[in-house]
Amino acid sequence: MDISELQKRLAGRRIFHAYIVTGSDPEDRARAGALIARAAVCSGAGAAPCGTCRDCVKAQKGVHPDIETVRREEKGKEHTVDSIRALRARAGIMPNEAEKSVHIIEDADFMNLQAQNAMLKTLEEPPEHAVFVLLAENPLKLIPTVRSRCETVTLPPRAGETECPEAAEAIINAFGSGDDLALVRALAPVKKLDRAGLAELIGAMRARAVRSLGPKELLKLSDTLDEAEKLCAANVNAGHVSGLMLGSLCHTK
Ligand SMILES: [Zn+2]
């Protein structure tokens, strides 16, 4: 569902046990997660969140005792199974003030497989009062059994997301999925870039890769981009840079 559909359902107090919120911008994902949380704890009348009840006010200030956000220990690290098990234990406890407790998992696509399996167990038998909100840039990194137990909310791309980040996204997605043919296609426009365009592309790829690739792929990509930057500094043309990326990111050699 899209964001307006979500708002409509929340307003009608139709709250699901589990959501995946997906979109390219982390702030947008956090905002949508916070909206679900407010609607879930709202004790006012009429459309939720009412914005004026005690629960809405506390949620708005970020001090509601029944809303928690689970973050990764560090950027680049994964959510561990211990962290998800601890979350499950907390979710089993009755809420303090609201009728529901809300558990937001930031960067849920960075749960390792063990952690995802622990999450799955939780979603299979969710406590009656608990709502889980998984924020994920790339929901395809979640196992299908987790995905199928959640309502997916897809956020629109940000206005002004320019062509270059789109090209960066296409390359990263093709590389991440191991689809070499898609990689060839995604790299084709790179040949036409000037130096400034290349620099922008490399920057966008770095930013995006951190959010959507696993550690092994990330390392490989990062090495490749280091090489590409060296070529750019040496004034090598874009065709060569594109060739280098293809040669080094291709899975079948
Ligand atoms: Zn309220």
Side-chain angles (χ1 to χ4, degrees), residues 128-149:
E128 195 47 45
H129 55 262
V131 176
F132 299 94
V133 184
L134 282 61
L135 308 182
E137 179 173 31
N138 183 0
L140 294 177
K141 281 164 75 181
L142 296 168
I143 52 178
T145 39
V146 163
R147 290 206 304 272
S148 68
R149 280 174 176 79

Side-chain angles (χ1 to χ4, degrees), residues 14 18 27 57 84-85 116 121 151-152 179 207:
R14 276 147 72 202
E27 282 175 27
V57 171
I84 301 301
R85 281 188 189 139
Q116 290 204 39
K121 265 194 197 164
E151 283 291 316
T152 298
D179 184 344

